[in-house]
Amino acid sequence: MDEEMQTEDCTVVCEPAHLQHIIRRNNGEHASKGPCRAGFSQSFYSVLISRDVLQDLAIVKDTTVSSQKVKFDDCMGNEAVDFQSSDPFFSVQADGSIFAKGQGASLEEPVQFKLTARGPHAHVWETVVQLALIDPPSPQQNENEVTKEEGKVAERKERKEAFQAPPPVIMFSGSRLNSSKGLRRQKRDWVIPPINVAENSRGPFPQMLVSIRSDQDQDISIRYSITGVGADQPPNEVFNIDPVLGKMFVTKPLDREHRSSYHLRAHAVDMNGNQVENPIDLYIFVIDMNDNRPEFKNQVYNGSVDEGSKPGTPVMHVSAFDADDNTTANGMVRYRILSQMPHSPIPNMFTINSETGDIVTVAPGLDREKVSQYTIIVQATDMEGNLNFGLSNTATAIITVTDINDNPPMLTSRTFSGEVPENRVDVVVANLTVIDADQQHSPNWNAVYRIISGDPSGHFTIRTDPVSNDGMVTVVKPVDFEMNRAFMLTVVVSNQAHLASGIQSSLQSTAGVTISVQDVNEPPYFPTNPKHIRFEEGVPAGTSLTTFSASDPDRLQMQQTIRYSKLNDPADWLSINRTNGQIITTAMLDRESIYVKNNIYEATFLATDNGSPAASGTGTLQIYLIDINDNSPALIPKESQICERMNRNVNGVNITAADADTDPNAGPFVFELPNFPTSIRRNWTISRISGDYARLGLRYQVYLEPGVYEVPVIVSDSGNPPLSNRSVIKVKVCPCDENGDCTTLGAVAAAGLGTGAIISILICIIILLSMVLLFVVWIKRREKERQTKQLLIDPEDDVRDNILKYDEEGGGEEDQDYDLSQLQQPDSLEHIMSKPPGVRRVDERPIIPESQYPIRAVVPHPGDIGDFIHEGLRAADNDPTAPPYDSLLVFDYEGSGSTAGSVSSLNSSSTGDQDYDYLNDWGPRFKKLADMYGGGDDD
């Protein structure tokens, strides 16, 4: 009966005389002796104590009965467990004893604190402990108690009746319920034990939980209310209370997985809203039901294990989570294997730890070459694996058997053969095939071939085909039929990975390979290639230099003839004898030629045999040309400049020489001035600076006019015999400023012009400017004469073209209306200059003076046209280059009509009796016109 009356949490009542502690625990805690689960035995402890035991007395002390302790177990002996309380006035020891420390430990109001247990490896567990005061029993109650056994029986009976009785009544502060004497005023508050409500209750709802009363409800009207999460805070209206009767209800099924506890406060106020009692705390705990199946984190788990693993080898881990309370059997999950596919070699190759979910091997015989993968169905069941009451779920575990190198590679034959032409490389001459049962394209399968004998010179190597794993015997160094006609190779094959422990190599891992060498026509070769010879330059044509002969490697089976030819001769200096390879010069060898690099001349020759097909080889002849003194030195620089007056210690030009020859036929050089002309040595001097440099300068106190001077210098090299060269250096002598730089005038002089030349240039410039000025004056005068010249002919007899300016389109000549009298020469020009723009004709002579023409003092009258024309003709005939002043017409205005006749009358078909013979009298200028219109019958 006592076990049936246990609730989810505990209430401990401490009597001062006996220090008894009663801890009520969950029914399922000892229902079955399961595996150790680290942590506190309960999530909430409620302890009622007397004030007498506050100071230096253990609150929970009895260690003989486990149900009477605040029990904790970390499954490792609790050796390194440290308990910490969130309240500074209470301490906890490893045996679960709670102590009040000093006078500061007060329980005038209930105290609730969090108890934390910290274990090794950073593990943390927590529980809640609530402490409250209760007065000790009165002496009268002790006298009325029965014996100890009778008291226990009465207590059990009382608990059973309380369990079956209606919901309890909770009194506010200052009141407690006495079963024999009713309500009796007390000085201290009750500590309300938690209210337990089972989740997923089917009702009916609302379902009453407790009844709350105030001992003042006999005197005044009181209204009750509750606040907190689940009442007036979300989720709202899970709990409500009858404001008059004080009955508290739950209105809907609760879900522990959504919320496991509620903390509410009950209030009592009068009709005016004044607080009658202090609020009391109500703790509602949702009792867990087994309503959730275990859920695997993954529906498919992948693991692997090496083939050949011993029993007990870890494979993989699976885990499932149950949302129910894991401190009860509802949340305790157990694992088992339902099936294994395939069943080879036995149906139970693996097992699983029922509590941890670790899968291990239990039998030998894993062989990837037989079974490469296993599929296992794992079941997780709560209620500690009880299949009758627990809920289950399944997941799939795929176990891959990984390969180890337990199969050595084996060649498919003990002998292989192949053939190769001589002098060929990168040719596959044989193909070795191998079989290996291990996983393809893995280090356990990939073959590695080695030649262990038969190829001391390293002519062959064996490459592995990455796809087929075959061995390709490849030539990496040319073979020679004349040296080796066949090769006998010994080959061994292995894997990239070492064989597994205990596995021996197979006899079929070794094979012999026979390779035959085929003879081919090899080209001739020059034994010494390139061939080096030394000769002095200047060797004349026809000189025999050397014999450059080749050899034929086909000396065993083929007897062939070699012929020579020239392949490359940049300077065309050499020839080769076609039969014996003798090299003869065809021109003089010159070391200074552009075809000679670093004193070496290089030519290439070809040797060809008469095989089928013919083969040829090349050889290079390198001739080192020894220098002789065949080039005279040349002076450097060719031009320079110096100041006309300067300190002779610094005034001068540094000169050197360039010689195409090399030492000892080049420097040091000797510089000297020639004896002729004598002015050279009189004005100039050369002083030696070093073996290759000298200084050319003016003699002291010698002054030369600014200009360019050609100074001859004789340069001699150091050859035996030495060669000399007379070179000329152009030295510009110029005035200099204080810095030694040529001035502007000096730069002009240094350009090669003397003082006289400069004066002549200036005079020419002045003359040119004067001529330009005279031409401008002449143009102006000619323009003025044109404006004042008399009219030459009568307007009606004027056969010259009229130049008209048309600003708009009109009706032709009839639309031209202007005064032809304007074409006559006026007596004066004042009215013309002041006349507004119109049609004017002005003939004028140039303004510039014309000495070749006589000045005409009297201008003829306009009516005397003949005299005026004859005078103009005479003047024009005497000066053929004079322009016709009377030909310039200026038309500024077009009239409203035209009195001139149509020019169409001048066509060739005109039969008019106009006589143009007078044009013959007008001189050579009108001869062409006279020929065109004169002559009469001649036409």
Side-chain angles (χ1 to χ4, degrees):
M1 292 297 295
D2 204 7
E3 295 297 329
E4 294 176 358
M5 295 299 296
Q6 291 178 356
T7 60
E8 175 69 14
D9 297 291
C10 72
T11 302
V12 181
V13 181
C14 303
E15 299 294 341
H18 307 288
L19 296 178
Q20 296 179 352
H21 317 291
I22 304 173
I23 303 178
R24 299 182 180 183
R25 302 184 171 204
N26 183 277
N27 284 335
E29 181 177 346
H30 300 288
S32 62
K33 187 64 176 180
C36 176
R37 299 185 67 86
F40 289 96
S41 61
Q42 299 170 195
S43 60
F44 184 85
Y45 293 92
S46 180
V47 182
L48 301 178
I49 63 175
S50 174
R51 187 185 303 273
D52 298 335
V53 299
L54 280 179
Q55 187 69 28
D56 296 329
L57 292 178
I59 298 173
V60 180
K61 186 176 181 181
D62 190 0
T63 59
T64 58
V65 182
S66 62
S67 61
Q68 296 179 345
K69 292 176 63 68
V70 178
K71 185 178 179 181
F72 173 82
D73 190 359
D74 68 347
C75 300
M76 292 185 293
N78 296 351
E79 294 181 358
V81 178
D82 178 31
F83 292 99
Q84 296 179 357
S85 172
S86 63
D87 193 303
F89 299 105
F90 295 92
S91 61
V92 181
Q93 292 184 347
D95 61 354
S97 301
I98 303 175
F99 287 89
K101 300 184 296 182
Q103 298 296 329
S106 173
L107 292 176
E108 292 298 332
E109 293 183 358
V111 174
Q112 181 174 304
F113 60 90
K114 181 172 67 175
L115 183 61
T116 303
R118 298 185 182 274
H121 310 297
H123 292 160
V124 178
W125 299 269
E126 295 180 349
T127 188
V128 177
V129 178
Q130 187 180 57
L131 306 178
L133 289 176
I134 185 173
D135 286 340
S138 62
Q140 293 80 2
Q141 290 178 328
N142 291 333
E143 293 175 359
N144 294 332
E145 286 185 351
V146 293
T147 63
K148 187 174 183 180
E149 293 297 327
E150 293 175 346
K152 291 181 179 180
V153 174
E155 183 179 1
R156 294 191 188 100
K157 182 178 180 180
E158 198 173 288
R159 290 177 181 174
K160 182 175 181 180
E161 292 174 352
F163 183 77
Q164 297 176 348
V169 177
I170 298 176
M171 302 299 296
F172 274 94
S173 302
S175 302
R176 65 173 293 180
L177 186 63
N178 190 299
S179 59
S180 60
K181 297 182 180 180
L183 191 64
R184 181 165 59 92
R185 173 71 63 185
Q186 298 295 331
K187 294 181 180 181
R188 298 175 183 87
D189 297 342
W190 282 92
V191 175
I192 309 302
I195 302 169
N196 298 317
V197 181
E199 68 171 333
N200 302 324
S201 174
R202 296 184 179 181
F205 295 100
Q207 179 180 353
M208 182 177 175
L209 298 180
V210 294
S211 179
I212 300 175
R213 282 191 55 201
S214 171
D215 55 359
Q216 300 186 42
D217 59 356
Q218 303 295 330
D219 302 328
I220 59 175
S221 295
I222 296 179
R223 293 293 181 265
Y224 302 97
S225 64
I226 55 176
T227 59
V229 176
D232 61 342
Q233 300 177 20
N236 300 70
E237 299 181 356
V238 176
F239 304 96
N240 60 25
I241 190 170
D242 189 321
V244 178
L245 301 178
K247 295 180 179 181
M248 190 174 76
F249 301 89
V250 59
T251 63
K252 62 180 68 174
L254 302 182
D255 186 358
R256 191 201 69 85
E257 287 72 40
H258 180 261
R259 192 175 185 88
S260 61
S261 64
Y262 296 87
H263 178 200
L264 303 178
R265 304 201 77 183
H267 306 270
V269 297
D270 59 16
M271 298 301 294
N272 296 323
N274 299 318
Q275 179 175 308
V276 176
E277 301 282 0
N278 291 327
I280 60 175
D281 292 314
L282 301 177
Y283 292 93
I284 302 171
F285 290 94
V286 183
I287 300 175
D288 183 47
M289 303 295 288
N290 190 21
D291 59 342
N292 291 277
R293 294 179 180 272
E295 296 291 340
F296 283 94
K297 294 181 179 179
N298 303 304
Q299 280 302 112
V300 178
Y301 290 84
N302 292 285
S304 62
V305 61
D306 289 341
E307 62 176 330
S309 296
K310 297 179 180 180
T313 302
V315 179
M316 60 188 303
H317 172 78
V318 298
S319 61
F321 171 76
D322 196 315
D324 292 325
D325 188 0
N326 60 5
T327 62
T328 67
N330 297 336
M332 296 180 180
V333 180
R334 298 294 182 266
Y335 304 92
R336 71 190 188 104
I337 294 177
L338 294 182
S339 65
Q340 168 194 306
M341 290 297 295
H343 292 171
S344 176
I346 62 174
N348 300 314
M349 291 293 296
F350 306 93
T351 187
I352 188 171
N353 188 303
S354 62
E355 295 183 6
T356 62
D358 294 326
I359 299 176
V360 298
T361 60
V362 294
L366 291 174
D367 190 350
R368 191 203 65 85
E369 287 72 40
K370 295 180 179 179
V371 179
S372 62
Q373 190 178 85
Y374 290 90
T375 301
I376 295 177
I377 305 300
V378 179
Q379 184 184 58
T381 306
D382 58 15
M383 296 299 293
E384 297 182 292
N386 190 321
L387 299 178
N388 295 324
F389 304 102
L391 302 177
S392 300
N393 212 337
T394 60
T396 302
I398 299 177
I399 301 175
T400 301
V401 181
T402 56
D403 183 48
I404 64 173
N405 195 12
D406 57 346
N407 294 280
M410 295 182 294
L411 293 165
T412 57
S413 176
R414 298 301 303 272
T415 60
F416 296 88
S417 62
E419 58 182 16
V420 57
E422 62 175 335
N423 301 321
R424 295 283 300 277
V425 293
D426 292 331
V427 178
V428 178
V429 297
N431 197 55
L432 313 182
T433 55
V434 69
I435 57 174
D436 194 321
D438 291 320
Q439 184 176 359
Q440 292 187 1
H441 306 293
S442 69
N444 300 328
W445 178 81
N446 295 336
V448 178
Y449 300 87
R450 292 182 294 113
I451 300 175
I452 59 177
S453 66
D455 185 23
S457 300
H459 291 282
F460 304 95
T461 187
I462 304 179
R463 302 187 177 110
T464 303
D465 188 321
V467 178
S468 64
N469 213 26
D470 293 344
M472 300 176 293
V473 182
T474 307
V475 181
V476 293
K477 185 178 179 180
V479 295
D480 189 355
F481 176 81
E482 287 72 28
M483 298 294 294
N484 299 95
R485 298 189 179 186
F487 291 87
M488 302 294 296
L489 308 180
T490 302
V491 177
V492 63
V493 63
S494 60
N495 293 123
Q496 287 182 351
H498 296 291
L499 290 174
S501 177
I503 305 299
Q504 300 295 327
S505 299
S506 172
L507 295 177
Q508 292 181 328
S509 298
T510 305
V513 181
T514 302
I515 299 176
S516 301
V517 181
Q518 298 175 338
D519 188 24
V520 297
N521 183 25
E522 299 176 79
Y525 70 94
F526 290 88
T528 304
N529 191 14
K531 184 174 184 179
H532 302 275
I533 61 175
R534 294 170 63 92
F535 270 89
E536 285 187 351
E537 65 172 328
V539 173
T543 303
S544 176
L545 299 181
T546 185
T547 299
F548 197 22
S549 60
S551 300
D552 192 344
D554 299 314
R555 59 184 182 276
L556 297 181
Q557 296 182 357
M558 304 179 186
Q559 298 296 328
Q560 300 175 137
T561 303
I562 300 177
R563 293 291 181 264
Y564 301 93
S565 61
K566 186 169 61 174
L567 183 63
N568 183 32
D569 184 10
D572 199 18
W573 288 344
L574 307 174
S575 65
I576 186 169
N577 188 287
R578 182 172 178 79
T579 57
N580 60 16
Q582 185 180 14
I583 307 297
I584 300 175
T585 61
T586 59
M588 185 179 67
L589 305 184
D590 185 7
R591 190 195 67 84
E592 289 74 35
S593 171
I594 59 174
Y595 302 106
V596 177
K597 308 297 181 183
N598 297 324
N599 299 333
I600 295 177
Y601 179 74
E602 187 174 279
T604 306
F605 299 92
L606 191 68
T608 306
D609 62 19
N610 59 348
S612 179
S616 60
T618 60
T620 301
L621 178 65
Q622 293 182 344
I623 306 174
Y624 185 89
L625 296 177
I626 303 172
D627 182 45
I628 63 175
N629 193 17
D630 58 346
N631 292 278
S632 58
L635 188 67
I636 299 176
K638 298 297 184 180
E639 295 181 355
S640 185
Q641 66 180 25
I642 62 176
C643 297
E644 60 180 355
R645 286 188 179 88
M646 201 170 179
N647 188 339
R648 67 175 183 175
N649 295 327
V650 297
N651 187 24
V653 178
N654 290 339
I655 58 175
T656 183
D659 196 326
D661 296 323
T662 60
D663 292 336
N665 297 319
F669 301 104
V670 176
F671 302 90
E672 58 184 347
L673 295 174
N675 295 326
F676 301 99
T678 58
S679 59
I680 299 301
R681 287 183 173 269
R682 183 173 62 251
N683 297 328
W684 302 90
T685 181
I686 288 181
S687 58
R688 183 183 181 86
I689 298 178
S690 64
D692 295 332
Y693 290 91
R695 185 187 302 276
L696 173 65
L698 291 171
R699 287 190 177 274
Y700 185 60
Q701 292 182 349
V702 170
Y703 171 75
L704 295 179
E705 292 290 337
V708 177
Y709 296 86
E710 294 184 352
V711 181
V713 178
I714 299 175
V715 185
S716 302
D717 58 22
S718 298
N720 186 16
L723 295 180
S724 300
N725 181 28
R726 180 186 175 103
S727 301
V728 176
I729 179 173
K730 293 183 179 181
V731 181
K732 299 177 183 179
V733 179
C734 61
C736 298
D737 55 18
E738 61 275 6
N739 296 323
D741 299 326
C742 282
T743 60
T744 304
L745 183 60
V748 175
L753 301 178
T755 303
I758 295 174
I759 294 174
S760 299
I761 291 174
L762 293 177
I763 292 174
C764 291
I765 293 174
I766 294 172
I767 293 173
L768 181 61
L769 292 177
S770 300
M771 291 176 65
V772 172
L773 181 59
L774 291 174
F775 179 74
V776 172
V777 172
W778 176 75
I779 291 296
K780 292 295 184 180
R781 182 173 180 180
R782 182 170 174 265
E783 189 71 25
K784 184 176 180 180
E785 288 182 356
R786 183 177 301 157
Q787 294 176 1
T788 58
K789 184 176 293 184
Q790 297 288 337
L791 184 61
L792 297 178
I793 60 177
D794 187 83
E796 293 184 358
D797 296 331
D798 191 358
V799 296
R800 293 174 295 177
D801 294 336
N802 296 327
I803 300 176
L804 304 178
K805 176 182 179 184
Y806 294 90
D807 293 334
E808 61 182 2
E809 296 181 359
E813 294 181 352
E814 295 299 326
D815 194 29
Q816 305 299 321
D817 185 12
Y818 52 87
D819 185 5
L820 294 179
S821 63
Q822 297 295 328
L823 299 177
Q824 296 179 350
Q825 179 67 32
D827 294 331
S828 64
L829 298 177
E830 286 78 3
H831 68 285
I832 296 177
M833 302 306 294
S834 61
K835 185 178 179 180
V839 178
R840 296 198 305 265
R841 174 173 176 161
V842 179
D843 296 334
E844 62 180 12
R845 72 172 70 180
I847 299 175
I848 60 176
E850 298 179 2
S851 57
Q852 66 272 25
Y853 285 95
I855 302 300
R856 288 175 286 194
V858 179
V859 178
H861 191 273
D864 191 1
I865 300 298
D867 296 337
F868 181 79
I869 291 177
H870 290 148
E871 184 180 356
L873 285 174
R874 286 193 299 270
D877 291 339
N878 294 329
D879 185 12
T881 62
Y885 300 126
D886 55 349
S887 63
L888 181 62
L889 304 178
V890 179
F891 295 89
D892 294 335
Y893 174 78
E894 294 182 3
S896 59
S898 176
T899 59
S902 174
V903 295
S904 62
S905 60
L906 300 178
N907 57 24
S908 60
S909 62
S910 176
T911 58
D913 50 6
Q914 175 72 32
D915 185 10
Y916 296 100
D917 290 338
Y918 62 89
L919 294 175
N920 292 319
D921 300 330
W922 285 14
R925 289 186 175 274
F926 295 91
K927 183 178 184 301
K928 184 65 176 177
L929 203 59
D931 294 339
M932 293 175 60
Y933 292 98
D937 298 336
D938 295 339
D939 297 334

